[in-house]
Amino acid sequence: MSMNQFPRNETLYTTGTAWSPPADWNTVTPGEATGLNGLAYETLFLFDPNTTEFTPWLAESGEWTEELVYTIKLRSGVKWSDGETLSADDVKYTLELGQVEAVPYHNIWDWTSSVEVVDELTVKVTFTEARHQEWNNFLWAEQILPEHVFSKLSEEEILTGANEDPVVTGPYKLHSFDQDRLAWVKRDDWWATEALGLEVAPRFIVDIVNSSNEVTLNLMAQGELDMSNNFLPGIQELIASNPDLSTYYAEAPYMLSANTAMLIPNTTIEPLDDPEFRRAMAFALDSAKIVDSVYSGLVAASNPTGLLPMWDKYLDQAVLDEHGFSYDAAQAKSILAAAGYEDADGDGFVETKSGEPVALSLVVPTGWTDWEEAARSMAADLRAAGINVTEEFIDAGAVDDSRTTGDFQLMLNNWTGTSHTPWTHFRYLFQLPVLDTQTTANFSRWTNEEAWTLTQELAATAAEDPRYQEILSELQRLSLVDMPAIPVWYNGAWSQVNNSVWTNWPSEDGDSPKVFPSAWNNMWNMGSIYMLTELKLAG
């Protein structure tokens, strides 16, 4: 079946997640193809951000059976796409793969001691420390791998191989791909149809590589795309004029909040290694200007901690009053002066303390028009406060590489987002040790042992424990005093849908599904998979 022969009434066309053709089907390392994790590979549980509860998925149940023992029971009858049965061996293999340092969930082995197969469907995990928050993260965020496939591969192949014919448990398997798109086809024997009465509506999901906003807006308006998960400037006007188009909320901010956009300084280089210099930068940034002029109100400004609004109950106002920041260019200048940064040569910009010129580059992916505009705005703010910053737009793949290797000065990143616990936000800021390649957290490469120790304690503390808030307050204080990254705004879960082919999209209205209307990779296991089971063909 060629790419243009998908029957329209069986096909869901999406865009907004891929910036280049799929390079591989590797589920172990980040940067995966759209849908790979969620449509194809699946997790033990789903997480619901609205209720902050967990739903058993590949697991039938999971519980702490002793203080340091967690027991997972798998569903029976779950089949991999090659006909093999999902078993306890797959869970044990996936967990033990984390012993390899380059695997993103390697950290669990700091406090996991053994994984034991009790029977075909039961796994017993024993810990040296009961890190409830951190373990929950593994349960909903990490995909289970087929032991019978992966155990035959070398470590190198697992980490960097293309995994060309993925063997999966999810509702879809790979159909085909091209330079500008990727197609998934529905599997007939997805376990959840029998076990949970769920059936995905589209037979095909075709994800189109992002093109310009103009092209996407036209395709959306014409009904050739069903869902766009990218920022589209002017979408409010288009929706007002086109009854087929809609967003989650009918009015501002139109989108659910998904993650926090942060300015990431490389703290291994001068003067970004100085917390006072970074705090000056925080005061120099006018986030309200970005909200209004770049996003026309489609987003909200972040609070100084960067914690999403879903965690407002944990904000410590006394800490914010003492250490928080807000836009104040004069204050930024006085912090710089007090810390010993001067403009000795009179060019309008401060030098390092040893008198070297400061010229910093803020990189964002080219084509991310909202981030390009935000970077222009931020660089101008920083220059106005005496810090010489120039915005630079480079290929999205090059941004990924520079973030991973630490070969950058300043960048924007929004990988701290909706999750089951504020612990993930502080892990994102403070995770240690800093490795040569940083794949998921602490892109600033900042080392604060105390903050990381507290983050690990938070992971092992139940939310009901009074100590939980104490730790959170102290972590908020450290994040504001150290400023390893500077929160600027809350990015929306961008989603614009067309109702001419498919309807019953997630929205605030009545009975419609209350999930993220999104194909972003971490959203499927946060409930977006239900979007596919609830979609209906339009009259």
Side-chain angles (χ1 to χ4, degrees):
M1 185 179 285
S2 76
M3 274 298 178
N4 55 4
Q5 287 178 328
F6 293 101
R8 187 65 183 95
N9 65 348
E10 296 184 343
T11 308
L12 181 73
Y13 284 98
T14 64
T15 191
T17 55
W19 289 89
S20 55
D24 61 59
W25 315 101
N26 189 319
T27 180
V28 177
T29 39
E32 64 275 348
T34 305
L36 183 66
N37 292 340
L39 299 183
Y41 291 101
E42 296 179 299
T43 50
L44 292 166
F45 287 79
L46 300 185
F47 167 67
D48 180 347
N50 297 313
T51 62
T52 65
E53 284 170 6
F54 291 81
T55 306
W57 202 240
L58 289 178
E60 189 171 78
S61 67
E63 59 179 331
W64 291 91
T65 44
E66 296 171 44
E67 192 187 336
L68 294 173
V69 177
Y70 189 91
T71 303
I72 299 162
K73 286 208 181 302
L74 293 174
R75 293 183 190 278
S76 62
V78 177
K79 291 262 193 286
W80 292 98
S81 52
D82 63 358
E84 295 281 326
T85 303
L86 174 81
S87 77
D89 291 332
D90 298 316
V91 176
K92 177 180 165 77
Y93 174 81
T94 305
L95 278 160
E96 290 181 344
L97 186 63
Q99 291 168 345
V100 176
E101 195 174 87
V103 170
Y105 52 90
H106 172 65
N107 270 15
I108 64 171
W109 283 95
D110 294 346
W111 44 276
T112 302
S113 63
S114 67
V115 183
E116 180 194 336
V117 170
V118 178
D119 61 43
E120 212 164 291
L121 296 173
T122 312
V123 182
K124 200 165 96 172
V125 190
T126 305
F127 303 97
T128 54
E129 203 185 328
R131 296 197 185 173
H132 290 236
Q133 311 285 333
E134 198 164 347
W135 175 242
N136 284 349
N137 193 67
F138 179 87
L139 293 176
W140 76 266
E142 297 301 340
Q143 286 69 30
I144 300 303
L145 307 171
E147 182 270 342
H148 66 280
V149 175
F150 278 71
S151 60
K152 299 187 175 86
L153 304 176
S154 69
E155 192 176 298
E156 178 76 5
E157 286 173 314
I158 290 168
L159 293 172
T160 62
N163 190 29
E164 266 153 1
D165 187 13
V167 173
V168 300
T169 56
Y172 291 87
K173 63 184 179 187
L174 183 59
H175 178 280
S176 50
F177 66 98
D178 216 320
Q179 278 310 99
D180 73 335
R181 61 193 60 198
L182 149 66
W184 298 97
V185 60
K186 181 176 173 177
R187 288 178 58 213
D188 294 330
D189 50 357
W190 184 37
W191 60 270
T193 304
E194 194 173 311
L196 301 172
L198 294 172
E199 189 155 357
V200 289
R203 184 173 160 216
F204 300 101
I205 296 181
V206 178
D207 188 65
I208 311 288
V209 172
N210 281 312
S211 54
S212 71
N213 289 333
E214 293 70 29
V215 169
T216 303
L217 282 164
N218 284 333
L219 291 172
M220 284 299 298
Q222 292 157 17
E224 290 178 41
L225 274 175
D226 299 303
M227 178 173 73
S228 164
N229 293 135
N230 210 347
F231 168 70
L232 294 177
I235 190 66
Q236 308 95 307
E237 291 79 16
L238 192 59
I239 285 173
S241 65
N242 186 333
D244 287 336
L245 298 180
S246 61
T247 47
Y248 190 90
Y249 297 112
E251 295 171 356
Y254 302 96
M255 317 287 166
L256 294 163
S257 281
N259 52 55
T260 308
M262 312 270 279
L263 177 63
I264 309 290
N266 183 340
T267 66
T268 66
I269 57 176
E270 201 183 10
L272 298 174
D273 57 348
D274 181 355
E276 286 302 300
F277 191 89
R278 302 194 295 264
R279 274 186 62 76
M281 292 172 73
F283 277 96
L285 296 176
D286 184 355
S287 55
K289 183 173 71 172
I290 292 173
V291 169
D292 294 337
S293 65
V294 177
Y295 285 105
S296 312
L298 281 174
V299 302
S302 172
N303 78 55
T305 68
L307 286 167
L308 282 172
M310 66 188 288
W311 304 121
D312 277 356
K313 62 186 173 189
Y314 294 125
L315 291 180
D316 188 321
Q317 199 53 51
V319 168
L320 285 168
D321 290 346
E322 189 176 350
H323 301 288
F325 61 87
S326 56
Y327 172 58
D328 185 339
Q331 176 73 355
K333 287 179 175 173
S334 63
I335 292 172
L336 287 171
Y341 295 95
E342 296 170 8
D343 173 17
D345 61 7
D347 65 353
F349 301 120
V350 298
E351 292 89 35
T352 65
K353 290 180 184 179
S354 56
E356 298 297 315
V358 173
L360 300 169
S361 172
L362 167 55
V363 295
V364 298
T366 188
W368 295 30
T369 52
D370 52 329
W371 281 28
E372 289 179 351
E373 285 302 315
R376 282 192 187 98
S377 177
M378 292 160 76
D381 288 347
L382 291 163
R383 288 195 299 270
I387 301 171
N388 187 7
V389 175
T390 310
E391 68 278 8
E392 189 184 344
F393 309 143
I394 62 175
D395 177 72
V399 173
D400 288 340
D401 292 343
S402 60
R403 182 184 60 241
T404 304
T405 58
D407 182 19
F408 70 94
Q409 294 168 324
L410 294 166
M411 66 167 44
L412 275 174
N413 182 263
N414 62 333
W415 287 14
T416 175
T418 308
S419 87
H420 66 288
T421 161
W423 164 77
T424 54
H425 176 68
F426 294 107
R427 177 188 59 168
Y428 171 85
L429 292 178
F430 291 121
Q431 182 171 295
L432 295 177
V434 174
L435 304 170
D436 289 345
T437 56
Q438 291 285 88
T439 54
T440 56
N442 193 356
F443 299 124
S444 313
R445 298 173 173 255
W446 178 245
T447 298
N448 181 325
E449 301 282 356
E450 181 196 358
W452 180 233
T453 301
L454 282 167
T455 303
Q456 290 173 292
E457 188 189 342
L458 186 69
T461 307
E464 306 74 55
D465 188 326
R467 175 71 184 140
Y468 194 71
Q469 179 64 56
E470 288 172 17
I471 301 168
L472 279 171
S473 294
E474 184 55 18
L475 284 170
Q476 289 171 59
R477 189 185 72 79
L478 289 169
S479 74
L480 292 167
V481 170
D482 281 17
M483 218 75 252
I486 302 167
V488 190
W489 75 90
Y490 297 127
N491 238 4
W494 310 128
S495 186
Q496 294 84 199
V497 299
N498 187 305
N499 294 268
S500 56
V501 178
W502 298 99
T503 61
N504 200 36
W505 294 96
S507 80
E508 64 178 327
D509 294 339
D511 294 336
S512 63
K514 300 296 179 275
V515 297
F516 285 107
S518 180
W520 290 353
N521 282 317
N522 59 345
M523 294 294 192
W524 299 114
N525 37 337
M526 278 197 230
S528 293
I529 195 72
Y530 293 123
M531 169 179 74
L532 300 178
T533 64
E534 299 281 339
L535 283 175
K536 295 178 172 52
L537 282 170

